[in-house]
Amino acid sequence: MLIVVLLLVASCCKNVIAFRTTTTTIAITSPSYKKIVCFGSASYGNEDCKQTSNRRKLLLSTLYAPFVATSVPYASAANLPQSTGADLSRTGSIDTLIPIIAMKQSLESINSQLMTEKGKLESNECKSILQTLQKNIPRAENDFKRIFDSYSTPVSYKQKFLDQNAFLVYYTRGFDGPGRSNIEDDASSNIIQTRQYGARNDAWSAMDDVLVELEYGQRSSDTDAGELAALVQKVMLAFDYYLSLAPAADVEHANAYLH
């Protein structure tokens, strides 16, 4: 219908009408027309395009507006966790939990040390603490998160389906058939995965703050022991929450193995 109206306008104006949609530029031409009507950026790449009267531009903008207004709204899904290259064949095992416990024990050791310190730390003290932490804690974000992902509940098929079919799920409001629960209702495994993912991210964000502060301190001798201890304790809280999602018996066995 829109094209027919444009053809009629073109016939009346005896011109070639060029207009731009959200994605393409459309031109309606006829060998008998000698002028070109420009609209928006449609003149780009067309040297013969001339500016026309305000009346014609107003007419074209009137025709263009309904086309934009009726565009289909965009729906997007939340991004799934990006792969860190973790081996997902042993998720949930004590073997993959042990490295996480080892990181936490390193943090506990440093926290105990900092509680006895007051004032500024010397550069060599910051360097020593940094070296102690990095025996069990990777400096690179991806390496850090990979340790967690090796233990965490992986993204489920349902979560992948929701992500890949976000448009459909959005417009059907999660309808999954008569008598069936809403497809967006979280299963227990999805809830655990989401919480583990959030705790992992919180742990890294806080851990990075600690490492940055220590790297600064070993150059400047301007790191306050109390402030650093507060940062370390923030990391420990994220670890504590993550480990609270694991079976208590597994956490106990992992701790016993490292002692």
Side-chain angles (χ1 to χ4, degrees), residues 132-147:
T132 299
L133 288 176
Q134 291 184 332
K135 289 179 181 178
N136 292 315
I137 302 176
R139 182 63 184 93
E141 177 180 359
N142 193 73
D143 295 340
F144 181 92
K145 291 181 175 180
R146 186 188 298 121
I147 294 176

Side-chain angles (χ1 to χ4, degrees), residues 52-64:
T52 61
S53 66
N54 291 334
R55 181 182 299 176
R56 288 178 180 172
K57 287 190 288 184
L58 178 60
L59 175 60
L60 287 170
S61 64
T62 302
L63 291 171
Y64 173 71

Side-chain angles (χ1 to χ4, degrees), residues 37-255:
V37 176
C38 302
F39 179 76
S41 58
S43 60
Y44 293 157
N46 194 329
E47 297 179 356
D48 296 327
C49 193
K50 306 294 183 181
Q51 290 292 336
T52 61
S53 66
N54 291 334
R55 181 182 299 176
R56 288 178 180 172
K57 287 190 288 184
L58 178 60
L59 175 60
L60 287 170
S61 64
T62 302
L63 291 171
Y64 173 71
F67 178 83
V68 176
T70 57
S71 297
V72 177
Y74 176 71
S76 62
N79 291 328
L80 292 177
Q82 294 184 347
S83 173
T84 57
D87 179 3
L88 304 181
S89 65
R90 297 185 298 156
T91 57
S93 68
I94 295 178
D95 287 344
T96 55
L97 181 60
I98 287 173
I100 300 174
I101 298 294
M103 289 195 288
K104 184 173 183 292
Q105 289 184 359
S106 293
L107 290 165
E108 290 172 340
S109 174
I110 295 303
N111 183 60
S112 298
Q113 176 183 337
L114 290 172
M115 297 302 291
T116 63
E117 300 282 352
K118 292 184 180 180
K120 302 293 184 180
L121 296 173
E122 297 293 333
S123 60
N124 62 321
E125 291 179 295
C126 290
K127 182 177 180 180
S128 175
I129 293 172
L130 190 59
Q131 290 174 341
T132 299
L133 288 176
Q134 291 184 332
K135 289 179 181 178
N136 292 315
I137 302 176
R139 182 63 184 93
E141 177 180 359
N142 193 73
D143 295 340
F144 181 92
K145 291 181 175 180
R146 186 188 298 121
I147 294 176
F148 283 85
D149 291 352
S150 295
Y151 175 79
S152 300
T153 301
V155 175
S156 68
Y157 172 80
K158 178 179 177 180
Q159 288 171 292
K160 292 178 181 178
F161 175 85
L162 292 174
D163 185 74
Q164 295 167 359
N165 298 276
F167 185 87
L168 176 63
V169 173
Y170 177 82
Y171 283 103
T172 60
R173 297 183 180 180
F175 180 73
D176 195 30
R180 297 173 63 90
S181 62
N182 190 299
I183 196 172
E184 292 185 284
D185 290 345
D186 281 337
S188 58
S189 60
N190 293 346
I191 294 173
I192 292 175
Q193 188 278 326
T194 301
R195 290 176 178 175
Q196 287 176 330
Y197 176 63
R200 180 205 71 171
N201 290 348
D202 290 344
W204 165 251
S205 179
M207 190 71 245
D208 188 48
D209 289 342
V210 170
L211 297 174
V212 168
E213 184 65 30
L214 287 169
E215 289 164 351
Y216 170 75
Q218 70 177 350
R219 295 191 303 269
S220 65
S221 298
D222 193 34
T223 293
D224 183 81
E227 292 178 358
L228 182 60
L231 292 176
V232 171
Q233 289 161 15
K234 185 178 179 180
V235 186
M236 292 169 60
L237 284 175
F239 270 79
D240 285 340
Y241 179 68
Y242 181 90
L243 293 173
S244 72
L245 301 172
D250 288 357
V251 174
E252 185 178 345
H253 289 153
N255 273 304

